[in-house]
Amino acid sequence: MATQQRGRLPPEDEKRLQLNYELLKSELDGKDLVDKMFQSGIFSVDDMEEVRNAMPNIRSKRIEVFLTKLFNSGRNGYTVFLDAIKDAGYKHVAEILVNTVLLSEAAEADWFESVSGDRRTDKIQEKELSRMVQAFGNGWEFIATELNLSKAQIEQAKLSAPTPYMQMFNVFLKWKQREAGRATFQAFVKALRACEDKCTIDWDIVKHVVLNSH
């Protein structure tokens, strides 16, 4: 079967993968999934070999290569991927993907006020912070400034980390460590709201982290 036309996944499919990206990286192995993707014409022979021969040839690298290709696998890629993970024995992962709630852009502006008081005042855990950082794009430094992190701290984080994701995570981890018990969802979301006109924030990811305590 010829490889199907490539391109970005449909927005809803891409969002489901994005919201569960860490789960996918921790649970799956790309080598278990490539046969189905190839057989269905989603992956090419080259794609299959790149996943299987990823270097270093360890599970974490294989799934990283696989997911990169999946995000550019066209309109049918996600559907075949769901079948592939079920066939490979990852039915629990498929269930989580299918049951992931995608919050509409038209959701009420006061969504955070509907969150239970206990959750709003929960301290953000490091794992939750790492997921939250995936929501930020251009202009994220405004958020750090709003949280009273200095320009020097921001610049130090940029110099000490190799990727934009790690730069952001290091900066906001400094805030969490400094604030200790005051590093709550309420404080963090307040800062995000103050900066939403200055930077890129994917509110679907923010809401997903806040509403899911696991």
Side-chain angles (χ1 to χ4, degrees), residues 140-141 144-161 166-179:
W140 64 269
E141 296 91 344
T145 301
E146 184 68 23
L147 291 168
N148 295 317
L149 289 160
S150 69
K151 185 176 181 180
Q153 288 174 311
I154 297 171
E155 291 303 319
Q156 287 168 6
K158 287 184 174 180
L159 292 172
S160 64
M166 287 305 302
Q167 291 171 5
M168 290 188 286
F169 178 72
N170 287 348
V171 167
F172 295 118
L173 184 59
K174 284 181 182 292
W175 167 78
K176 171 178 163 52
Q177 292 169 340
R178 185 194 69 197
E179 295 297 305

Side-chain angles (χ1 to χ4, degrees), residues 69-137:
K69 294 182 177 299
L70 178 62
F71 275 102
N72 195 46
S73 60
R75 62 188 180 87
N76 296 320
Y78 176 77
T79 301
V80 175
F81 169 66
L82 275 183
D83 289 340
I85 59 178
K86 291 175 187 176
D87 291 350
Y90 300 108
K91 290 184 179 180
H92 63 293
V93 176
E95 289 175 3
I96 291 172
L97 285 168
V98 170
N99 293 324
T100 295
V101 176
L102 300 182
L103 295 161
S104 168
E105 291 293 329
E108 296 181 10
D110 63 350
W111 67 272
F112 190 68
E113 280 63 43
S114 68
V115 177
S116 70
D118 287 346
R119 183 59 174 163
R120 289 201 302 271
T121 57
D122 271 353
K123 291 183 291 185
I124 299 180
Q125 301 302 309
E126 191 168 320
K127 184 175 181 180
E128 292 169 328
L129 187 63
S130 72
R131 292 162 56 201
M132 191 84 81
V133 166
Q134 297 176 34
F136 309 146

Side-chain angles (χ1 to χ4, degrees), residues 50-69:
E50 283 181 42
V51 173
R52 286 177 172 166
N53 300 321
M55 294 300 292
N57 201 337
I58 55 177
R59 187 200 62 79
S60 60
K61 185 62 178 178
R62 290 191 296 267
I63 191 59
E64 180 182 324
V65 173
F66 178 92
L67 290 173
T68 298
K69 294 182 177 299

Side-chain angles (χ1 to χ4, degrees), residues 15 18-19 101 103 105 109 111-112 115 119 124 128-137 143 172 184-193 196 199-213:
K15 181 63 65 177
Q18 185 179 14
L19 290 173
V101 176
L103 295 161
E105 291 293 329
W111 67 272
F112 190 68
V115 177
R119 183 59 174 163
I124 299 180
E128 292 169 328
L129 187 63
S130 72
R131 292 162 56 201
M132 191 84 81
V133 166
Q134 297 176 34
F136 309 146
I143 304 169
F172 295 118
T184 63
F185 282 107
Q186 187 163 301
F188 202 68
V189 170
K190 181 180 178 181
L192 298 186
R193 284 177 163 171
E196 61 183 336
C199 60
T200 303
I201 301 173
D202 189 328
W203 283 103
D204 276 335
I205 294 178
V206 174
K207 294 172 185 176
H208 184 75
V209 175
V210 173
L211 299 174
N212 292 272
S213 57

